[in-house]
Amino acid sequence: MTSASSPPEVRSGLPDFARTDTTGPRRRTHRGSFLCHAVIATELRDGRTRISRLRADTPLSPRPTIASGEEPYIRGGDAARIRMSASAAGPVGGDTYLLDIHVREGSTLLIRDVGATLVLPGPHGESSRWVTRLRVEEGATCVWVPEPVIAAAGCRHHHVIDADLAPGARLLYREELVLGRHREEAGSLSAHLSVRRGGQASVVQQIDLGPAAVGAGASSVFGPNRALGNVIVVDPDGAPGPAAAAPDAASAVMRQDPACVQITAVGQDVPELRNRLDTAMGLLGEPWAAPGPRPWSAIPR
C-alpha cells in the first residue's frame, strides 16, 4: 500500500464493491449522495508521535484529542489520539466513504469514535460503502476501538477494513456490527475484513448478513443474533493466549498465524456481544485482558 497522502485505487484483491478512487475532492453525485475521503497519518519526530497529516471531508471528521483518563492499550502516553465524529447522518444509501490511515515507522496511533455509526437507506435503493485502508509500518502501533456500526432497516451497506502491516507492526482492532436499532427490522450488511502482515494474509473474512443475504438467518450461520464482533490482535513478539478456544458456543478464539489472534463472537444485542468479546479477551492474558465492562489495558512496547 502506498502512502495515505497519495491514495491509490483500492487494490484489485478486494471485492468489487470496495474499489473506489477518491483522488479528487469530495463531491455529490447526481442523485445527491456523497463521495468523500478523509486521511489520518502519523510520524515519529524527536522521539514523539505527531500527526503529520489530517484531512477531514464532510461528513468524515477526524479530530485530534489529548489523553483523557484511562486509555485502551497505551503505555507511556506517547501516542497521537484521534476521535472520529460524523458531521452529518450516514452513510446513506449511495454514499461512499473512504478513510486512509497511515501509521509511520515507530509511531503510535489511538483511534476512538465519538458515537456509533448509523447506516441509513437512501431514497433510490442504492448501496452505501465505507472503505478503510490501514497501513502500519515497522515498529509502529495502531489501536483502533470504534463504536458499533448499526445497519438500520432498509439499508444495504458494504463495510470494508483492509489492513496492511509491516512484520514488526502492532495492531489492536475491535469492531461491533449490529443489524437494526432497538425493535427495528435488520438492514443488510456485507462486511469484509482483511489483515496482511509482511504481505502475507493473516485474516480474510467476508460476512453477509441481513435480508439480502440468503441463508444468513439459519441457525448454523447467524440464527436469532443481531450483533457480530471481531477483535484482531497482532503482536510481532507472538500471538497471545491459546492456539484455539471456544469460551461458549457463540464465540471463538483463533490464532491465525504466529503473530495474529482473532476473536469472533455473536450476540442478540450489543451488551451480550461485548460481554462475550471481553470474556474471550480474558483468555489472552496480560496485558490484553483487563478488568471492567470493556477491556482497557496497556499494549506492550
Side-chain angles (χ1 to χ4, degrees):
M1 182 183 289
T2 59
S3 169
S5 62
S6 179
E9 176 77 8
V10 174
R11 59 172 44 81
S12 59
L14 291 179
D16 290 341
F17 62 72
R19 301 179 193 176
T20 185
D21 183 20
T22 58
T23 54
R26 176 178 63 88
R27 52 195 181 275
R28 188 184 292 270
T29 70
H30 69 287
R31 287 187 168 182
S33 55
F34 278 114
L35 175 60
C36 62
H37 176 216
V39 176
I40 304 167
T42 64
E43 65 181 3
L44 192 67
R45 186 188 306 167
D46 299 326
R48 298 297 302 274
T49 297
R50 299 286 186 267
I51 297 173
S52 58
R53 187 176 184 209
L54 190 64
R55 170 182 172 177
D57 195 2
T58 303
L60 287 178
S61 301
R63 302 295 184 211
T65 63
I66 61 175
S68 177
E70 191 174 12
E71 292 183 316
Y73 308 101
I74 296 297
R75 173 177 292 175
D78 177 35
R81 298 165 177 86
I82 294 291
R83 287 273 184 172
M84 293 295 301
S85 63
S87 54
V92 176
D95 290 351
T96 295
Y97 293 2
L98 176 60
L99 175 62
D100 271 308
I101 304 169
H102 187 177
V103 189
R104 293 190 173 92
E105 184 174 355
S107 61
T108 300
L109 176 63
L110 167 61
I111 309 175
R112 301 288 306 279
D113 286 346
V114 171
T117 296
L118 178 61
V119 183
L120 299 167
H124 306 289
E126 297 174 299
S127 297
S128 56
R129 300 183 297 173
W130 186 320
V131 180
T132 299
R133 303 182 295 196
L134 170 64
R135 181 184 179 188
V136 186
E137 293 186 358
E138 192 69 26
T141 298
C142 181
V143 177
W144 185 10
V145 187
E147 294 298 313
V149 175
I150 304 171
C155 81
R156 293 190 298 122
H157 181 62
H158 300 292
H159 195 74
V160 179
I161 304 294
D162 183 60
D164 193 357
L165 279 60
R170 288 185 173 90
L171 171 69
L172 184 137
Y173 171 68
R174 175 166 171 157
E175 69 176 2
E176 298 168 351
L177 309 174
V178 185
L179 298 183
R181 290 167 285 191
H182 182 59
R183 295 184 179 179
E184 179 184 62
E185 293 297 321
S188 293
L189 177 65
S190 180
H192 181 89
L193 172 63
S194 63
V195 178
R196 292 176 303 282
R197 181 173 176 268
Q200 301 298 314
S202 295
V203 176
V204 178
Q205 177 177 282
Q206 173 76 34
I207 298 176
D208 299 313
L209 300 170
V214 178
S219 58
S220 60
V221 182
F222 207 48
N225 298 292
R226 295 173 63 89
L228 180 141
N230 282 297
V231 176
I232 305 294
V233 175
V234 178
D235 187 343
D237 295 330
D248 57 53
S251 59
V253 180
M254 303 161 286
R255 184 173 297 178
Q256 303 292 22
D257 65 34
C260 177
V261 63
Q262 177 181 4
I263 296 170
T264 298
V266 297
Q268 296 193 36
D269 53 29
V270 172
E272 184 176 79
L273 172 65
R274 287 183 174 177
N275 181 65
R276 286 180 172 146
L277 291 176
D278 292 347
T279 300
M281 289 191 74
L283 299 178
L284 304 185
E286 296 296 339
W288 308 103
R294 299 196 68 174
W296 307 138
S297 186
I299 192 167
R301 295 292 296 168

